[in-house]
Amino acid sequence: MVFRAGVKAGDGVSKMSDDWGSCVEREIVMPTTLAGQRFDAAVHHVWPEFSRGRLQKWIKAGAITANDRPIQNKTTVRGGERVRLLAELTPEQNWSPQAAELDVRFEDDDFLIVNKSAGVVVHPAPGHAENTLVNALLYHAPQLAHLPRAGIIHRLDKETTGLLVVAKSLMAHAALVEALQARRIKRAYLALVWGLVTGSNTVNKPIGRHPRVRTKMAVVDSGKPAVTHFQIKQRFAQHTLLDVQLETGRTHQIRVHLASMGLPIVGDPVYGGRQRVVAGASFLVRERVAAFRRQALHATALSLAHPRSGETVCVEAPIPEDFRALLNALSETTA
């Protein structure tokens, strides 16, 4: 069975049982494969649904014990210990719910997929505590306050539009994070770039912090592995619309990789370089390109296995109106 865009799962998906409004209780025998590790790292390995910071607080409070005795975060694991967790579940962050419109493309008891608009910041930050996607999600589903990062599994930049996965339970959060790390969540994007692309390509270049501009990312030898695949969807006189698939998920990955190939995304204020002129184009084309002041990048499709049932969930999001208008104008100059 495949769930598609706009569908809310019903009887085919089991109801979840959660810890909300009560105590969290877990018990395991510590695997010998974790011997030698710090206890805070080891319990995060066996209970990845909880953030390491939260587990460290519980250890300090005596809510996590080994063989019925208190431990410290730095205590060394021997293996074979009977480890018990008994704690009250409280909000991860002091973020406020805020009524706002959400374009929810899929939702059931375990997770939801939302279509983010341009200009929306995902997480609250100093100086920007309201009007974020997290604020809206907490109003829509208050239990997200108990999840790491309000359940958001991966991020989109402020001006990038499209689909995001949000867990609604600890079980779903752990499963979806593991699926993302194992590259089992398939993400497809549309990117409009400057330049004429001649064929499909794969960019396999490490990405890390820019050596001089710390607010930017860059292709650097010391960076983390990053792989991006792209192929032509439509060609224009001076631009190409690309289908892009992420194999990894580094910060600004698509923007950095395409710029490194001499194919900066139209409107990208950080990696797009100087403003360009569309030679020989009509006034409408020149006006539309000049006015598009955000990166022309849209997360258009997601495919993943349901964290509880294992059934495939496929969701798509239409191109936003401003992006569509730009493509319509450029169609005058199709190569």
Side-chain angles (χ1 to χ4, degrees):
M1 182 178 181
V2 176
F3 298 122
R4 295 197 178 275
V7 176
K8 181 168 182 175
D11 294 337
V13 178
S14 302
K15 293 292 184 180
M16 56 180 277
S17 60
D18 254 326
D19 298 302
W20 312 132
S22 62
C23 289
V24 181
E25 187 170 1
R26 304 280 193 277
E27 187 169 325
I28 56 100
V29 175
M30 188 64 73
T32 56
T33 55
L34 298 178
Q37 291 195 22
R38 286 171 52 114
F39 245 94
D40 56 354
V43 292
H44 182 55
H45 179 85
V46 297
W47 294 321
E49 64 267 33
F50 303 116
S51 68
R52 186 167 176 176
R54 169 174 273 177
L55 290 165
Q56 288 174 334
K57 291 178 182 178
W58 281 341
I59 288 174
K60 288 181 180 180
I64 298 178
T65 58
N67 297 329
D68 297 322
R69 295 182 180 180
I71 53 173
Q72 297 182 11
N73 287 307
K74 64 182 180 180
T75 299
T76 300
V77 172
R78 294 182 178 180
E81 298 96 334
R82 183 170 58 84
V83 181
R84 190 180 184 209
L85 161 63
L86 182 62
E88 182 183 357
L89 199 61
T90 56
E92 281 265 328
Q93 301 285 344
N94 189 27
W95 292 333
S96 301
Q98 188 174 8
E101 185 177 351
L102 281 175
D103 183 5
V104 178
R105 293 279 154 168
F106 173 92
E107 183 171 17
D108 67 6
D109 289 335
D110 292 307
F111 75 105
L112 62 89
I113 298 175
V114 63
N115 182 24
K116 188 184 85 67
S117 302
V120 176
V121 175
V122 173
H123 285 98
H128 202 117
E130 297 182 343
N131 301 315
T132 70
L133 181 63
V134 163
N135 298 123
L137 286 168
L138 290 174
Y139 185 87
H140 178 78
Q143 71 268 32
L144 298 181
H146 299 275
L147 294 175
R149 298 182 179 180
I152 293 176
I153 302 301
H154 59 103
R155 299 180 60 176
L156 291 177
D157 299 329
K158 177 182 177 182
E159 300 298 346
T160 298
T161 56
L163 299 172
L164 278 170
V165 181
V166 184
K168 293 174 64 179
S169 69
L170 291 171
M171 177 280 298
H173 185 270
L176 291 169
V177 167
E178 194 275 331
L180 184 70
Q181 293 173 344
R183 304 178 183 179
R184 294 196 302 270
I185 297 179
K186 305 302 181 184
R187 293 171 286 168
Y189 293 74
L190 287 175
L192 180 67
V193 300
W194 285 95
L196 297 181
V197 181
T198 56
S200 302
N201 207 334
T202 294
V203 189
N204 187 349
K205 299 178 180 179
I207 291 178
R209 192 66 60 182
H210 194 286
R212 295 183 300 279
V213 185
R214 304 305 293 172
T215 57
K216 295 176 60 176
M217 307 301 288
V219 171
V220 290
D221 291 338
S222 60
K224 295 181 180 179
V227 180
T228 304
H229 309 282
F230 65 85
Q231 57 188 8
I232 298 170
K233 185 173 182 65
Q234 187 174 0
R235 295 183 69 189
F236 305 98
Q238 296 183 19
H239 305 86
T240 307
L241 183 64
L242 300 176
D243 276 319
V244 183
Q245 294 82 41
L246 282 179
E247 189 170 316
T248 55
R250 308 304 175 199
T251 302
H252 300 174
Q253 178 173 318
I254 295 175
R255 299 163 66 189
V256 171
H257 268 174
L258 291 177
S260 75
M261 299 290 288
L263 301 168
I265 295 177
V266 170
D268 192 332
V270 178
Y271 306 101
R274 61 180 178 79
Q275 185 73 25
R276 305 184 187 199
V277 177
V278 184
S282 68
F283 174 78
L284 175 62
V285 170
R286 294 197 304 271
E287 183 183 56
R288 286 282 169 82
V289 173
F292 204 90
R293 297 301 181 90
R294 68 174 183 87
Q295 58 267 15
L297 181 61
H298 177 62
T300 187
L302 273 169
S303 177
L304 66 153
H306 193 284
R308 186 182 298 273
S309 69
E311 295 169 342
T312 301
V313 178
C314 299
V315 179
E316 296 182 354
I319 300 175
E321 291 184 8
D322 61 340
F323 198 161
R324 174 64 67 188
L326 177 60
L327 295 176
N328 289 340
L330 288 176
S331 64
E332 298 179 13
T333 65
T334 302

